[in-house]
Amino acid sequence: MNRKKTRCIKVAIIIILTIGAFFPAFPILWMVLSSFKPNVEIFAWPPTWIPRDFSLGTYISIFHNSEQLRFFINSYLISIVVVIFTLCFSILASYALSRFDFPGKGLINTLIISVQAVPPITLLIPYLSLVVMMNLYNTYGALIFTYMLFTLPYAILMMTGYMNTLPEDLDEAVMIDGGSRFRALWTVLVPTALPGLVSVGMYTFMRAWNEYLFALALTKTNNMRTVPVGINLLMGQHAYKWNEMMAMSVIGSLPVIILFLLFQKYFIAGMTAGSVKS
């Protein structure tokens, strides 16, 4: 009886999880299928799941369009640079906050946490004025610095929590052998903190890759636009190119999906490590 009850509970859980997974999966499935349809078929009624006129034309047109390819190049370049700088700064900052006691440490932690509570949209107008005054408008530098302002606070908090789980004996072992703290950090702690670094890197990449508001406000020419803004440009005054929008969305989603599939083990470990020891 208990075995039968356990089996029923498992079946019920599977059914509930399947239904729950359908809701987030439905828009993704519809996006992928629509990317293979002509624009006319997308508006057909009743709607069709499987494309009647299956076509790769939208993907071919994207890869033959230098302007749209530029959107992807910009997004890759900006996101990768932001990830590199965010990781470097967050490693140094988290090591200092984890290993040293100094005046103002509590205040710094409070400020880092407080920054997360500020809605980015409230900073748009003053930040735009600052960027224009510094002659950074419509440049890679403006977007890179902007995204770092958004990603660094969370990255520092996350890496500090992970650094706190690493015993100080690791640092001391290197210093006893004549090494410096800097050497202990980069040769021992950083490789050990790989799950935390992967988590921070993935979060940073996704934040930079998906950002739309500042990418639109801080650029004015199409050769500086990123993928989210490029997708929005397909919304014309009289017609929407829904099939191209869906195809660009599919291509734009692939980097994040691939990253998660490759590093999901490290990502999950890094996300949960900071809650083990504070």
Side-chain angles (χ1 to χ4, degrees), residues 70-220:
R70 181 77 182 193
F71 299 149
F72 288 96
I73 293 173
N74 290 340
S75 287
Y76 274 117
L77 178 62
I78 293 169
S79 300
I80 291 173
V81 172
V82 171
V83 168
I84 293 173
F85 278 101
T86 299
L87 285 178
C88 290
F89 285 115
S90 63
I91 288 170
L92 296 173
S94 62
Y95 183 76
L97 293 172
S98 175
R99 294 297 194 261
F100 300 107
D101 289 321
F102 51 87
K105 178 179 176 180
L107 177 61
I108 292 175
N109 279 322
T110 302
L111 289 175
I112 292 174
I113 296 173
S114 301
V115 168
Q116 298 293 298
V118 179
I121 193 171
T122 61
L123 305 174
L124 180 60
I125 295 177
Y127 191 80
L128 177 60
S129 302
L130 180 63
V131 167
V132 172
M133 184 178 64
M134 297 175 64
N135 294 322
L136 291 176
Y137 184 68
N138 201 46
T139 64
Y140 289 122
L143 294 178
I144 291 171
F145 291 143
T146 301
Y147 296 166
M148 285 183 61
L149 290 176
F150 297 148
T151 58
L152 259 179
Y154 181 80
I156 292 173
L157 288 174
M158 192 170 178
M159 282 305 301
T160 301
Y162 198 88
M163 283 287 182
N164 288 337
T165 66
L166 303 179
E168 295 188 22
D169 295 344
L170 296 174
D171 312 45
E172 295 172 358
V174 175
M175 289 186 287
I176 289 174
D177 291 336
S180 62
R181 282 191 175 274
F182 191 79
R183 181 180 178 185
L185 172 62
W186 292 105
T187 61
V188 178
L189 296 183
V190 169
T192 307
L194 182 60
L197 294 175
V198 171
S199 299
V200 171
M202 288 185 61
Y203 162 80
T204 303
F205 185 88
M206 288 188 291
R207 186 76 185 267
W209 183 270
N210 294 323
E211 205 284 325
Y212 170 79
L213 179 62
F214 283 83
L216 176 64
L218 300 180
T219 57
K220 64 178 179 180

Side-chain angles (χ1 to χ4, degrees), residues 195 198-199 202 258-269:
V198 171
S199 299
M202 288 185 61
I258 293 172
L259 282 175
F260 183 79
L261 291 177
L262 291 176
F263 300 108
Q264 59 177 321
K265 178 176 67 174
Y266 297 106
F267 181 73
I268 295 172

Side-chain angles (χ1 to χ4, degrees), residues 42-59:
I42 294 178
F43 292 95
W45 187 263
T48 57
W49 276 100
I50 306 301
R52 290 195 296 263
D53 299 321
F54 185 89
S55 173
L56 295 173
T58 51
Y59 291 94

